[in-house]
Amino acid sequence: MVAANLRAARALQAAHAGDRQALGATAWPSPRVLDWKSWINELWEQYTRRADSSSAVEMPLTALQEHQLWKQVQGADRDRVVAPQRMADLAQQAYALLGDYDAHPLRVAAAAGRFGTSHEDAARFLVWAADFDRLCQRHGWLSSTRLAQRLAAAAGVLDQPDELWLVGFDRVTPGQGLLLDALAAAGTRVHRYQPAPAASEPLLVRADHPQAEYEACAWWCREQLAHPPHADGSVRIGVIVPDLERVRAELDRVFRRILMPQTCLWPSDGAAMADPPMPYEFSLGTSLAAVPIVGSALRVLRWLAGPLDSTDLTWLLNSGFLAGSAADHTALAMVDASVRRTAEVSMAWFAERSRSRSMPQELGARLRRLAARGLAEGRVGEEGRTAVRRRSYASWAELVPTLLEEAGWPGYRPLDSFNYQAQQRWTRLLGELAELGFDGSEPSWGQFLRTLEQHAHGVIFAAESTDPPIQILGAFESSGQSFDAVWLLGADDQHWPSTGQMHPLLAAGLQREARMPHASPEADWVLAQEATTRIVASAPTVRLSYAAQAQGIALRASPLVLAQVKRPAAGEVHASAAAPRNGVGSAGLIASLTGAVAPPARIGSQMPTATQYGMECVELDSVRDDSGVLPWPEGRSAGGAEVLKRQAECAFRSFAVRRLRADALEDAEHGLDPRMRGTLMHRVLQSLWSSTAGEPMRLHTLNDLLRATEEGYVADMVTYHVNAVFASKVEEARGDAWRTAYLACEQQRVRDRLLEWLACEREREPFTVFALEQALTSIEVGPLRLDLRPDRVDTLDNGTCLLLDYKTGEVKPSAWDGERPEEPQLPLYAIFGGMERVSGVAFGQIRAPESKLVVRGESVQKQVSAAVTGAALKNRLDDATRESWAGTLVSLASDFVRGDARVNPRDHLKTCRYCPLPGLCRVHETDTLPDDEEEGLEGE
């Protein structure tokens, strides 16, 4: 028996074993069941053993070897190809299609112009394919996609099976047909197995949206697990999805929440609990490079070759794959937190820097040895900067395990089955790369590493099946398998039949004549029609579902599934979109649709046959918490004005940052982040207006500014203070051309903005800078004590004070108003700062395209500046305003003191978008945010 794919072959073997065991057998001959690829390889081994010794047998190329040849044959076109790696992928795919559809003669005809003038890419591929064939003929190589063709020509020397059964082939390609016809002509009886259709009457289910569709399917699967059809408690459920790769992540979240709810909860006793076995698995694999254990190995090797960016370094240090113990794991996380602001980190720099950090001595020494070995063997750096050693692929591949072992990979934790299999596949990949030396090439370490990473991303890894009861499959991956129950998801007119594009490197006429995939809508329709019929016949219980709307697009049931429902009007049911967030309500919905027993009342309902999958949970009770929250200690300072600013933004954020001491980790940037840029601007201003600055490079009053302007040295003065503040940054960047140039640009930007701001200050009424960054300690705001530090206090001619706060962002006077003000600092300083005769407050907005004063005062034009107009003249700082500000600030302070920790963002979109703590408050799991949040964010 030859199955269309490996999964179908394994299912047949498992079914045979189950039948033997049911008959009481304890041992039996292994059945001859192979997937197509394994069978072809077995036949080729036969052929090489039995071929005439006088004739040379070609060497089949591995997929990696063939890919390398396709990069080589790009030849003179290499400079015109934007992405050689991707182009080699496409060329390899196109050549495989030609083999699968026996279309190499058509390729020759295309080169002769039979299909008209080909577009440039298709024309260049024909040249590359001819070069590829010549290389293979010269060296005795053979593409694996032409094995069936060669075997068909040599059918006479093969062992002829009396009978050959094909299982799960929705379509036999012409290339496969060549071999099958040759075997049939030689006497083998070839059959296509068609299982007897299960007696079923499909039910069509319509959901309001995809989320409701996935939840309905998950609850239906849970019901099937609770009532298995077999006496031994077993059940086999197929969930078939035409576009599985697109929806896999969301489907996984829904199935985990409904089928394994305990894995979404924190253990009540704080002890770690092993997850129960998964009741479902996906047939679709993932990129090998995306598997964490392999991703960590690739990062370690890349770190040897050069600096890692902060994102990759953080991932690696916190993954545990470098840690020798749990203590090492924690230490690496602590070291990561201390170096996060460095954009790129070399292994040597990190190892030396870690001497003064919390890095364990043995771990630091190990990294230093590894970094030194990388330098000594010449694997670090590019050509011209250090000697580049070239070795064979096999030599580099043999060295990789040694380097990883020295790095401590894969860490202290024992490998589970999944990680063990991933490690084994990684080892196989290294072996496959070792075979790339078949053409005598000797790459540098950097070239070898790039090739390794490229192919690790290209390899699809799927762990061996644990044979759980629920199989989530693609439409064509389900061929050759039978189930007790099947649900076909996403059967709408947009996704079924599946649509696709013609191959970009093959002429359209060639693809149509060869009847390749997506060459015509009719061919795709016929194939999908056969697959739908097969799916419906594969189980006695069948559900076909579609969402009525997705991403604002109205959808209808695919005509392919409507044709399977004998009475569409009576055979369609509606999956309500009103299910609660936790999905419990969906169980009642599905029970009513399937005629099952009363739905479970809670997520912990008893399901006797499903307990082995962790689905039996304790009953949840509601307990009222009357403990309250401990108030803020009386007399203790809560910090600065940021406490009330955060309290106004969201009570939970203020609580979390100040009382739980939670805050976001620093993020590295190649330049200065916005906060540091603002800090440097403040430092320059403080230096500029400081009365301690030496003459003539200081300002203290408006007259000082006017005199410097008249004498023409304002620009020199600003440059002096900018250079003084940036001196330490410039020194750190010495030797780094990019950072030096960047800081020069940033200094020029600061100079330009400050000259614009000083032009605005020259238009003011007379003033003297009274204080800069003056500390105001133990300021009482109602029941709360704060320590304040206003940016600047000016005294005016009439003896009153103007409070000034510098801002490098856009600001408005409305930011001081309302019950939850955006910028409460200036009102806080004015009302509770203890300063007498405060007649005005102002933002100094220093930013392009306009620097200006944003002010509110008793008499703005007379006391501050005649240039101020508009709303500032109407909204004066009077007693009513002061009283309103005082009440608002005391209310915010009182809320903080009593422990108000509500998740109540002031502006749903803006507040939550820039908050660093969404994972702590889990605002997205509540009804706090509006339904159109995503649209609002995209529109901003």
Side-chain angles (χ1 to χ4, degrees):
M1 302 188 77
V2 176
N5 53 64
L6 182 59
R7 184 170 289 269
R10 288 174 176 168
L12 287 169
Q13 291 168 338
H16 179 267
D19 289 344
R20 297 299 93 195
Q21 289 175 332
L23 294 174
T26 57
W28 54 86
S30 297
R32 292 281 295 149
V33 180
L34 296 170
D35 65 282
W36 177 269
K37 185 176 180 181
S38 300
W39 181 56
I40 290 293
N41 290 336
E42 183 180 280
L43 290 179
W44 184 260
E45 288 182 11
Q46 279 187 34
Y47 170 67
T48 56
R49 288 195 303 268
R50 301 189 178 193
D52 187 350
S53 59
S54 62
S55 60
V57 177
E58 297 160 304
M59 181 190 80
L61 297 171
T62 66
L64 268 61
Q65 291 171 335
E66 190 169 336
H67 187 274
Q68 184 165 311
L69 280 188
W70 282 111
K71 285 198 291 187
Q72 289 181 16
V73 299
Q74 291 174 24
D77 295 319
R78 190 169 296 134
D79 293 338
R80 301 163 59 192
V81 175
V82 176
Q85 177 77 12
R86 177 58 180 153
M87 187 60 77
D89 290 339
L90 290 172
Q92 191 170 2
Q93 294 165 11
Y95 198 86
L97 279 172
L98 293 171
D100 288 343
Y101 287 84
D102 191 26
H104 284 288
L106 294 178
R107 187 193 93 202
V108 176
R114 172 178 166 184
F115 301 106
T117 303
S118 298
H119 58 82
E120 184 179 3
D121 290 344
R124 296 313 303 162
F125 170 73
L126 294 175
V127 175
W128 298 343
D131 290 343
F132 181 88
D133 286 343
R134 280 192 290 270
L135 267 176
C136 289
Q137 186 175 8
R138 184 188 313 155
H139 295 283
W141 300 330
L142 178 65
S143 168
S144 60
T145 62
R146 306 192 76 162
L147 285 178
Q149 179 182 348
R150 289 288 193 275
L151 289 169
V157 300
L158 303 176
D159 284 338
Q160 293 289 128
D162 295 332
E163 285 189 293
L164 179 68
W165 286 86
L166 303 178
V167 182
F169 285 80
D170 289 320
R171 164 170 36 190
V172 174
T173 67
Q176 294 171 328
L178 278 177
L179 177 58
L180 296 174
D181 291 344
L183 291 175
T188 297
R189 298 189 299 277
V190 180
H191 313 279
R192 288 187 67 175
Y193 174 68
Q194 296 291 345
S200 66
E201 185 169 347
L203 185 66
L204 183 61
V205 179
R206 175 174 61 86
D208 289 339
H209 51 77
Q211 180 78 11
E213 184 185 11
Y214 304 154
E215 289 187 356
C217 177
W219 281 107
W220 177 82
C221 288
R222 181 165 174 162
E223 189 68 24
Q224 300 300 313
L225 289 174
H227 301 90
H230 304 295
D232 62 357
S234 64
V235 61
R236 185 170 171 79
I237 304 166
V239 176
I240 299 173
V241 193
D243 197 3
L244 180 56
E245 185 174 5
R246 178 179 61 87
V247 303
R248 173 176 177 160
E250 181 60 28
L251 201 60
D252 190 21
R253 282 191 289 271
V254 171
F255 270 57
R256 179 176 288 274
R257 173 165 50 83
I258 292 175
L259 297 177
M260 303 184 70
Q262 75 288 350
T263 65
C264 304
L265 303 174
W266 194 267
S268 58
D269 60 358
M273 297 189 302
D275 286 344
M278 295 280 283
Y280 65 91
E281 73 177 7
F282 289 88
S283 64
L284 185 66
T286 58
S287 165
L288 182 63
V291 178
I293 190 172
V294 175
S296 64
L298 289 171
R299 286 175 173 86
V300 170
L301 297 175
R302 200 187 320 144
W303 202 11
L304 269 172
L308 275 187
D309 64 48
S310 62
T311 302
D312 280 337
L313 182 62
T314 290
W315 188 96
L316 179 61
L317 296 181
N318 288 278
S319 68
F321 292 111
L322 284 188
S325 65
D328 285 359
H329 197 171
T330 302
L332 283 169
M334 298 294 291
V335 173
D336 170 58
S338 68
V339 300
R340 284 177 60 89
R341 292 187 63 83
T342 305
E344 290 185 336
V345 178
S346 69
M347 184 178 288
W349 182 91
F350 179 84
E352 288 302 319
R353 184 78 173 228
S354 66
R355 289 179 185 270
S356 59
R357 307 284 172 174
S358 56
M359 175 83 76
Q361 184 176 357
E362 189 278 330
L363 184 57
R366 188 200 321 152
L367 291 177
R368 286 191 289 276
R369 287 195 303 271
L370 189 62
R373 177 167 181 178
L375 288 168
E377 297 200 13
R379 290 190 303 275
V380 179
E382 298 298 328
E383 297 185 18
R385 194 178 62 167
T386 186
V388 177
R389 179 178 298 175
R390 295 186 176 275
R391 295 180 177 179
S392 67
Y393 277 97
S395 178
W396 288 127
E398 186 178 354
L399 182 61
V400 165
T402 303
L403 295 174
L404 292 176
E405 184 178 359
E406 289 184 15
W409 183 87
Y412 68 100
R413 295 170 299 196
L415 297 183
D416 57 18
S417 175
F418 178 86
N419 281 312
Y420 175 78
Q421 292 179 58
Q423 186 185 37
Q424 294 300 108
R425 185 63 185 91
W426 163 258
T427 302
R428 267 179 49 208
L429 176 62
L430 291 175
E432 292 165 3
L433 252 70
E435 296 175 348
L436 291 183
F438 71 107
D439 59 354
S441 56
E442 290 191 338
S444 66
W445 169 254
Q447 292 169 336
F448 171 81
L449 185 56
R450 283 192 292 273
T451 303
L452 175 60
E453 288 198 274
Q454 289 165 356
H455 289 300
H457 282 283
V459 170
I460 301 302
F461 169 74
E464 290 184 8
S465 173
T466 57
D467 201 27
I470 302 172
Q471 298 287 321
I472 305 177
L473 309 150
F476 300 107
E477 294 170 313
S478 63
S479 62
Q481 301 186 58
S482 351
F483 304 95
D484 297 306
V486 160
W487 186 304
L488 175 63
L489 281 168
D492 58 73
D493 57 354
Q494 295 292 316
H495 298 101
W496 189 243
S498 301
T499 58
Q501 302 294 323
M502 288 186 175
H503 198 283
L505 295 187
L506 296 175
L510 182 156
Q511 295 185 66
R512 282 192 291 268
E513 183 155 339
R515 299 180 63 82
M516 290 183 180
H518 311 307
S520 69
E522 295 79 12
D524 287 350
W525 179 273
V526 170
L527 180 62
Q529 189 175 45
E530 293 176 356
T532 306
T533 302
R534 168 181 54 76
I535 290 169
V536 169
S538 64
T541 302
V542 177
R543 298 290 179 267
L544 312 169
S545 69
Y546 70 100
Q549 186 176 15
Q551 297 181 341
I553 300 174
L555 303 173
R556 295 173 296 179
S558 168
L560 291 174
V561 299
L562 288 175
Q564 300 293 330
V565 181
K566 297 178 181 178
R567 294 172 293 120
E572 177 170 335
V573 295
H574 175 240
S576 171
R581 231 174 240 275
N582 63 9
V584 176
S586 299
L589 164 70
I590 295 303
S592 66
L593 300 186
T594 61
V597 296
R602 62 185 69 86
I603 208 167
S605 61
Q606 299 300 310
M607 307 183 71
T609 61
T611 54
Q612 60 176 315
Y613 299 105
M615 296 174 61
E616 183 177 2
C617 307
V618 298
E619 181 175 342
L620 302 181
D621 295 325
S622 296
V623 178
R624 181 174 178 178
D625 181 8
D626 295 320
S627 62
V629 179
L630 290 175
W632 183 257
E634 185 177 353
R636 178 187 297 179
S637 173
E642 284 294 311
V643 172
L644 296 189
K645 181 178 180 179
R646 286 191 291 261
Q647 187 73 28
E649 289 176 344
C650 176
F652 178 81
R653 184 178 179 187
S654 184
F655 182 92
V657 171
R658 190 65 190 92
R659 303 191 67 161
L660 302 183
R661 299 185 181 181
D663 210 345
L665 291 171
E666 297 284 355
D667 287 327
E669 297 191 20
H670 285 282
L672 303 172
D673 60 36
R675 186 174 66 176
M676 179 53 68
R677 294 170 72 189
T679 298
L680 290 172
M681 180 73 79
H682 276 68
R683 289 177 183 172
V684 174
L685 284 163
Q686 185 177 15
S687 177
L688 182 66
W689 286 103
S690 172
S691 60
T692 60
E695 295 288 355
M697 297 300 178
R698 75 172 183 89
L699 296 175
H700 188 51
T701 66
L702 175 62
N703 288 335
D704 294 339
L705 176 59
L706 295 176
R707 182 175 63 255
T709 303
E710 183 179 346
E711 295 179 8
Y713 62 88
V714 170
D716 292 338
M717 181 185 299
V718 170
T719 299
Y720 170 83
H721 290 281
V722 169
N723 290 345
V725 169
F726 274 80
S728 60
K729 295 289 181 185
V730 172
E731 181 62 29
E732 288 178 8
R734 189 178 302 278
D736 186 326
W738 184 92
R739 290 182 64 195
T740 299
Y742 168 79
L743 288 174
C745 292
E746 184 63 21
Q747 287 174 279
Q748 185 59 52
R749 185 193 70 84
V750 172
R751 281 192 289 267
D752 292 344
R753 297 290 80 78
L754 288 181
L755 288 173
E756 294 171 4
W757 168 245
L758 291 178
C760 179
E761 293 252 50
R762 282 198 298 269
E763 296 180 357
R764 288 184 53 185
E765 297 299 315
F767 66 87
T768 299
V769 175
F770 173 73
L772 296 168
E773 300 282 347
Q774 181 182 5
L776 307 174
T777 58
S778 298
I779 300 300
E780 293 185 355
V781 184
L784 184 64
R785 180 169 294 179
L786 298 174
D787 296 327
L788 307 179
R789 191 180 293 272
D791 285 349
R792 176 171 146 188
V793 181
D794 291 353
T795 56
L796 309 180
D797 269 2
N798 62 356
T800 62
C801 293
L802 175 74
L803 303 180
L804 188 62
D805 195 36
Y806 299 123
K807 293 292 183 183
T808 54
E810 186 176 4
V811 286
K812 298 178 181 179
S814 59
W816 297 316
D817 299 331
E819 295 182 357
R820 301 172 69 179
E822 294 180 32
E823 301 287 350
Q825 299 96 316
L826 285 172
L828 187 60
Y829 304 152
I831 306 302
F832 298 100
M835 289 174 281
E836 298 181 359
R837 298 294 310 279
V838 175
S839 62
V841 294
F843 285 132
Q845 178 179 296
I846 308 174
R847 70 189 304 268
E850 180 185 14
S851 294
K852 62 181 180 180
L853 271 171
V854 178
V855 62
R856 181 172 294 179
E858 295 174 353
S859 180
V860 174
Q861 288 189 321
K862 291 182 179 180
Q863 298 175 357
V864 183
S865 174
V868 176
T869 59
L873 302 180
K874 298 178 182 179
N875 301 325
R876 300 179 59 191
L877 181 58
D878 52 23
D879 291 341
T881 301
R882 290 185 175 92
E883 184 177 346
S884 174
W885 285 354
T888 296
L889 295 171
V890 170
S891 176
L892 292 172
S894 299
D895 289 344
F896 175 82
V897 167
R898 74 167 184 267
D900 183 5
R902 290 171 294 165
V903 179
N904 59 345
R906 178 183 55 227
D907 182 326
H908 296 303
L909 299 179
K910 183 178 179 181
T911 304
C912 294
R913 183 179 186 181
Y914 297 107
C915 176
L917 305 174
L920 189 59
C921 70
R922 298 185 296 179
V923 65
H924 295 281
E925 298 181 23
T926 72
D927 294 320
T928 304
L929 293 178
D931 294 335
D932 61 346
E933 179 191 18
E934 288 189 6
E935 296 179 6
L937 289 177
E938 291 173 359
E940 287 188 357

